[in-house]
Amino acid sequence: NASTTSVVLGGTTHEVRWPVILADGSEHSTACADVVPGYSGSAQASCSGGTLSFDTSNCKGMPCEATASAKVNLSDTSVSQALGQELQSGEVLKGLCSEVNSNFAGDYTMTCLLGQVSVDVAGCTCTSDRCSASSCRGTTEVSVQVGSMVGTLPSSK
């Protein structure tokens, strides 16, 4: 029988289904990624009075490697942009919108969160009349932020 408990990592509560049966008063060390994907380090599971708990104080969000990339979409231009440097989970890197599409000014951001890169182009402003004539295609991506989580979703057609 597997046990289920809640674990809070990075300010988010995760339900964890634990397949290992622990005797009362015993502990078991495991990789943080086995408890919640996207985290590295080791977690300590323990059983006390029939209650399963985890010490996740050694768990850290996985970094994004320098070679990790994401698509930066501005109007009718899409560029796959590599980070170029390792980022820790939660770190942000800025890029120039004009390097993606010369019709834009400002900065876009690339954020590393739990080993995944997301892009936010909200800081990019069109400086050309051509932008107003650009249509949104089904492949256009929309950056969404909910609390501290940032993600990229395909927009509806």
Side-chain angles (χ1 to χ4, degrees), residues 21-79:
I21 297 174
L22 295 176
D24 187 45
S26 66
E27 296 181 340
H28 179 82
S29 183
T30 188
C32 294
D34 291 341
V35 178
V36 179
Y39 287 86
S40 62
S42 63
Q44 191 74 23
S46 60
C47 177
S48 178
T51 300
L52 178 67
S53 62
F54 286 89
D55 175 1
T56 57
S57 59
N58 292 321
C59 297
K60 294 188 334 184
M62 289 184 164
C64 296
E65 296 182 14
T67 57
S69 64
K71 286 191 178 185
V72 181
N73 298 304
L74 289 174
S75 189
D76 58 354
T77 304
S78 180
V79 174

Coordinates of all heavy atoms in Angstrom, one line a residue, residues 21-79:
I21 N 6.9 1.3 2.1 CA 6.2 1.2 3.5 C 7.3 1.4 4.5 O 8.3 0.7 4.5 CB 5.5 -0.2 3.6 CG1 4.4 -0.3 2.6 CG2 5.0 -0.3 5.0 CD1 3.7 -1.6 2.5
L22 N 7.1 2.4 5.4 CA 8.1 2.6 6.5 C 7.5 2.2 7.8 O 6.3 2.5 8.1 CB 8.4 4.1 6.5 CG 9.1 4.7 5.3 CD1 9.3 6.2 5.5 CD2 10.5 4.1 5.1
A23 N 8.3 1.5 8.6 CA 7.9 1.2 9.9 C 7.8 2.4 10.8 O 8.6 3.4 10.5 CB 8.8 0.1 10.5
D24 N 7.0 2.4 11.8 CA 6.9 3.6 12.7 C 8.3 3.8 13.3 O 9.0 2.9 13.8 CB 5.9 3.3 13.9 CG 5.7 4.5 14.7 OD1 5.5 5.6 14.2 OD2 5.7 4.3 16.0
G25 N 8.7 5.1 13.3 CA 10.0 5.5 13.8 C 11.2 5.4 12.8 O 12.3 5.7 13.1
S26 N 10.9 4.9 11.6 CA 12.0 4.7 10.6 C 12.0 5.9 9.6 O 11.1 6.7 9.5 CB 11.8 3.4 9.9 OG 10.7 3.4 9.1
E27 N 13.2 6.0 8.9 CA 13.4 7.0 7.9 C 13.9 6.4 6.6 O 14.5 5.2 6.7 CB 14.4 8.0 8.4 CG 14.0 8.8 9.6 CD 15.0 9.8 10.1 OE1 16.2 9.7 9.8 OE2 14.6 10.7 10.8
H28 N 13.8 7.1 5.5 CA 14.3 6.6 4.2 C 14.7 7.8 3.4 O 14.0 8.8 3.3 CB 13.2 5.9 3.5 CG 13.6 5.4 2.2 ND1 14.3 4.2 2.0 CD2 13.4 5.9 0.9 CE1 14.5 4.0 0.7 NE2 14.0 5.0 0.0
S29 N 15.9 7.8 2.9 CA 16.5 8.9 2.1 C 16.2 8.6 0.6 O 16.3 7.5 0.2 CB 18.0 9.0 2.3 OG 18.5 10.1 1.6
T30 N 15.8 9.7 -0.1 CA 15.5 9.5 -1.5 C 15.8 10.8 -2.3 O 16.0 11.8 -1.6 CB 14.0 9.1 -1.7 OG1 13.7 8.8 -3.1 CG2 13.1 10.3 -1.3
A31 N 15.9 10.7 -3.6 CA 16.2 11.9 -4.4 C 14.9 12.8 -4.4 O 13.8 12.3 -4.4 CB 16.5 11.4 -5.8
C32 N 15.2 14.1 -4.3 CA 14.0 15.0 -4.3 C 13.2 14.9 -5.6 O 12.0 15.0 -5.5 CB 14.6 16.5 -4.2 SG 15.4 16.8 -2.7
A33 N 13.8 14.6 -6.7 CA 13.1 14.4 -7.9 C 12.1 13.2 -7.8 O 11.1 13.2 -8.6 CB 14.0 14.2 -9.1
D34 N 12.3 12.2 -6.9 CA 11.4 11.1 -6.7 C 10.2 11.6 -5.9 O 9.1 11.0 -6.0 CB 12.1 10.0 -6.0 CG 13.1 9.3 -6.8 OD1 13.1 9.4 -8.1 OD2 14.0 8.6 -6.2
V35 N 10.3 12.7 -5.2 CA 9.2 13.2 -4.4 C 8.4 14.2 -5.2 O 7.2 14.1 -5.4 CB 9.8 13.9 -3.1 CG1 8.6 14.5 -2.3 CG2 10.6 12.9 -2.3
V36 N 9.2 15.2 -5.8 CA 8.5 16.2 -6.7 C 9.5 16.4 -7.9 O 10.6 16.9 -7.7 CB 8.3 17.5 -6.0 CG1 7.7 18.6 -6.9 CG2 7.4 17.3 -4.7
P37 N 9.0 16.2 -9.1 CA 9.9 16.4 -10.3 C 10.3 17.9 -10.4 O 9.6 18.8 -10.0 CB 9.0 16.0 -11.5 CG 7.9 15.1 -10.9 CD 7.7 15.6 -9.5
G38 N 11.5 18.1 -10.9 CA 12.0 19.4 -11.1 C 13.0 19.9 -10.0 O 13.5 21.0 -10.0
Y39 N 13.1 19.0 -9.0 CA 14.0 19.4 -7.8 C 15.2 18.4 -7.8 O 15.0 17.2 -8.1 CB 13.2 19.3 -6.5 CG 12.3 20.5 -6.4 CD1 11.0 20.4 -6.9 CD2 12.7 21.6 -5.7 CE1 10.1 21.5 -6.8 CE2 11.8 22.7 -5.6 CZ 10.6 22.7 -6.1 OH 9.7 23.7 -6.0
S40 N 16.3 18.9 -7.3 CA 17.5 18.1 -7.1 C 17.8 18.1 -5.6 O 17.3 18.9 -4.8 CB 18.7 18.6 -7.9 OG 19.0 19.9 -7.5
G41 N 18.7 17.2 -5.2 CA 19.1 17.0 -3.8 C 18.5 15.8 -3.2 O 18.0 14.9 -3.9
S42 N 18.5 15.7 -1.9 CA 17.9 14.5 -1.2 C 16.9 14.9 -0.2 O 17.0 15.9 0.5 CB 19.0 13.6 -0.6 OG 19.7 14.4 0.4
A43 N 15.9 14.1 -0.1 CA 14.8 14.3 0.8 C 14.8 13.1 1.8 O 15.2 12.0 1.5 CB 13.4 14.4 0.1
Q44 N 14.3 13.4 3.0 CA 14.2 12.4 4.0 C 12.8 12.1 4.4 O 12.1 13.0 4.8 CB 15.0 12.8 5.3 CG 15.2 11.8 6.3 CD 16.3 10.8 5.9 OE1 17.2 11.1 5.1 NE2 16.3 9.6 6.4
A45 N 12.3 10.9 4.1 CA 11.0 10.5 4.5 C 11.0 9.8 5.8 O 12.0 9.1 6.2 CB 10.4 9.4 3.4
S46 N 10.0 10.1 6.7 CA 10.0 9.5 8.0 C 8.5 9.1 8.4 O 7.6 9.8 7.9 CB 10.6 10.4 9.0 OG 9.9 11.6 9.1
C47 N 8.4 8.1 9.2 CA 7.1 7.7 9.7 C 7.1 7.8 11.2 O 7.9 7.3 11.9 CB 6.9 6.2 9.3 SG 5.3 5.6 9.9
S48 N 6.0 8.5 11.7 CA 5.9 8.7 13.1 C 4.4 8.6 13.5 O 3.6 9.4 13.0 CB 6.4 10.1 13.6 OG 6.2 10.3 14.9
G49 N 4.1 7.6 14.2 CA 2.7 7.4 14.6 C 1.7 7.1 13.4 O 0.6 7.5 13.5
G50 N 2.2 6.6 12.4 CA 1.4 6.3 11.2 C 1.3 7.5 10.2 O 0.6 7.4 9.2
T51 N 2.0 8.6 10.5 CA 2.0 9.8 9.7 C 3.3 9.9 8.9 O 4.4 9.9 9.5 CB 1.8 11.0 10.5 OG1 0.6 10.9 11.2 CG2 1.8 12.3 9.6
L52 N 3.2 9.9 7.6 CA 4.4 10.1 6.7 C 4.7 11.5 6.5 O 3.8 12.3 6.3 CB 4.0 9.4 5.3 CG 5.1 9.5 4.3 CD1 6.3 8.7 4.6 CD2 4.6 9.1 2.9
S53 N 6.0 11.9 6.7 CA 6.4 13.3 6.4 C 7.7 13.3 5.7 O 8.4 12.3 5.7 CB 6.5 14.0 7.8 OG 7.5 13.5 8.6
F54 N 8.0 14.4 5.1 CA 9.3 14.6 4.3 C 10.0 15.8 4.8 O 9.4 16.9 5.0 CB 9.0 14.7 2.8 CG 8.5 13.5 2.2 CD1 7.2 13.1 2.1 CD2 9.5 12.7 1.6 CE1 6.8 12.0 1.5 CE2 9.1 11.5 0.9 CZ 7.8 11.1 0.9
D55 N 11.3 15.7 5.0 CA 12.2 16.8 5.2 C 12.8 17.1 3.8 O 13.6 16.4 3.3 CB 13.3 16.5 6.2 CG 14.3 17.6 6.4 OD1 14.1 18.7 5.7 OD2 15.2 17.5 7.1
T56 N 12.3 18.2 3.2 CA 12.8 18.6 1.9 C 13.7 19.8 1.9 O 13.9 20.5 0.9 CB 11.6 18.9 1.0 OG1 10.8 20.0 1.6 CG2 10.7 17.7 0.8
S57 N 14.3 20.1 3.1 CA 15.2 21.3 3.2 C 16.4 21.3 2.4 O 17.0 22.3 2.1 CB 15.5 21.5 4.7 OG 16.3 20.4 5.2
N58 N 16.8 20.1 1.9 CA 17.9 19.9 1.0 C 17.6 19.9 -0.5 O 18.4 19.7 -1.3 CB 18.8 18.7 1.3 CG 19.4 18.8 2.7 OD1 19.9 19.9 3.0 ND2 19.5 17.7 3.4
C59 N 16.3 20.1 -0.8 CA 15.8 20.1 -2.2 C 15.9 21.5 -2.8 O 15.5 22.5 -2.1 CB 14.4 19.7 -2.2 SG 14.1 18.0 -1.7
K60 N 16.4 21.6 -4.0 CA 16.5 22.9 -4.7 C 16.0 22.7 -6.1 O 16.1 21.6 -6.7 CB 18.0 23.3 -4.8 CG 18.6 23.7 -3.4 CD 20.0 24.3 -3.5 CE 20.8 24.0 -4.7 NZ 22.2 24.6 -4.7
G61 N 15.4 23.7 -6.6 CA 14.9 23.7 -8.0 C 16.0 23.4 -8.9 O 17.1 24.0 -8.8
M62 N 15.8 22.5 -9.9 CA 16.9 22.2 -10.9 C 17.2 23.4 -11.7 O 16.3 24.2 -12.1 CB 16.4 21.0 -11.8 CG 16.3 19.7 -11.1 SD 15.9 18.4 -12.2 CE 16.4 17.0 -11.3
P63 N 18.5 23.6 -12.0 CA 18.9 24.7 -12.8 C 18.6 24.4 -14.3 O 18.3 23.3 -14.7 CB 20.4 24.8 -12.6 CG 20.8 23.4 -12.3 CD 19.6 22.8 -11.6
C64 N 18.8 25.4 -15.1 CA 18.7 25.3 -16.6 C 20.1 25.4 -17.2 O 20.8 26.4 -16.8 CB 17.8 26.4 -17.2 SG 16.1 26.4 -16.6
E65 N 20.5 24.5 -18.0 CA 21.8 24.4 -18.6 C 22.0 25.6 -19.6 O 21.0 26.0 -20.2 CB 22.1 23.1 -19.2 CG 22.1 21.9 -18.2 CD 22.4 20.6 -18.9 OE1 22.8 20.6 -20.1 OE2 22.2 19.6 -18.3
A66 N 23.2 26.0 -19.8 CA 23.5 27.0 -20.8 C 23.0 26.7 -22.2 O 22.6 27.6 -22.9 CB 25.0 27.3 -20.8
T67 N 22.9 25.5 -22.5 CA 22.4 25.1 -23.8 C 20.9 25.0 -23.9 O 20.4 24.9 -25.1 CB 23.0 23.7 -24.2 OG1 22.6 22.8 -23.2 CG2 24.5 23.8 -24.4
A68 N 20.2 25.2 -22.8 CA 18.7 25.1 -22.8 C 18.2 26.3 -23.7 O 18.8 27.4 -23.7 CB 18.2 25.2 -21.4
S69 N 17.1 26.1 -24.4 CA 16.6 27.2 -25.3 C 15.1 27.2 -25.2 O 14.5 26.3 -24.8 CB 17.1 27.0 -26.7 OG 16.6 25.8 -27.3
A70 N 14.6 28.3 -25.7 CA 13.1 28.5 -25.8 C 12.9 29.4 -27.0 O 13.7 30.1 -27.5 CB 12.5 29.1 -24.6
K71 N 11.7 29.3 -27.6 CA 11.3 30.1 -28.7 C 10.9 31.5 -28.3 O 10.1 31.6 -27.3 CB 10.2 29.5 -29.6 CG 10.7 28.4 -30.4 CD 9.7 27.9 -31.4 CE 10.3 26.8 -32.2 NZ 9.4 26.4 -33.3
V72 N 11.4 32.5 -28.9 CA 11.0 33.9 -28.7 C 10.2 34.3 -29.9 O 10.7 34.3 -31.0 CB 12.2 34.9 -28.5 CG1 11.7 36.3 -28.2 CG2 13.1 34.4 -27.4
N73 N 8.9 34.6 -29.7 CA 8.0 34.9 -30.8 C 7.6 36.4 -30.7 O 7.0 36.8 -29.7 CB 6.7 34.1 -30.7 CG 7.0 32.6 -30.8 OD1 7.6 32.2 -31.8 ND2 6.6 31.8 -29.8
L74 N 7.9 37.1 -31.8 CA 7.5 38.5 -31.9 C 6.9 38.8 -33.3 O 7.6 38.6 -34.3 CB 8.7 39.5 -31.7 CG 9.2 39.6 -30.3 CD1 10.5 40.4 -30.2 CD2 8.2 40.1 -29.4
S75 N 5.6 39.0 -33.3 CA 4.9 39.3 -34.5 C 5.1 38.0 -35.4 O 4.7 36.9 -35.0 CB 5.4 40.5 -35.2 OG 4.6 40.9 -36.3
D76 N 5.6 38.2 -36.6 CA 5.8 37.1 -37.6 C 7.2 36.5 -37.5 O 7.5 35.7 -38.4 CB 5.5 37.6 -39.0 CG 6.3 38.7 -39.4 OD1 7.1 39.2 -38.6 OD2 6.3 39.1 -40.6
T77 N 7.9 36.7 -36.5 CA 9.3 36.2 -36.3 C 9.4 35.3 -35.1 O 8.9 35.7 -34.0 CB 10.3 37.4 -36.2 OG1 10.2 38.2 -37.3 CG2 11.7 36.8 -36.1
S78 N 9.9 34.1 -35.3 CA 10.2 33.2 -34.2 C 11.6 32.8 -34.2 O 12.1 32.3 -35.2 CB 9.2 32.0 -34.3 OG 9.4 31.1 -33.2
V79 N 12.3 32.9 -33.0 CA 13.7 32.6 -33.0 C 13.9 31.7 -31.8 O 13.4 31.9 -30.7 CB 14.6 33.9 -32.8 CG1 16.0 33.5 -32.5 CG2 14.4 34.8 -34.0

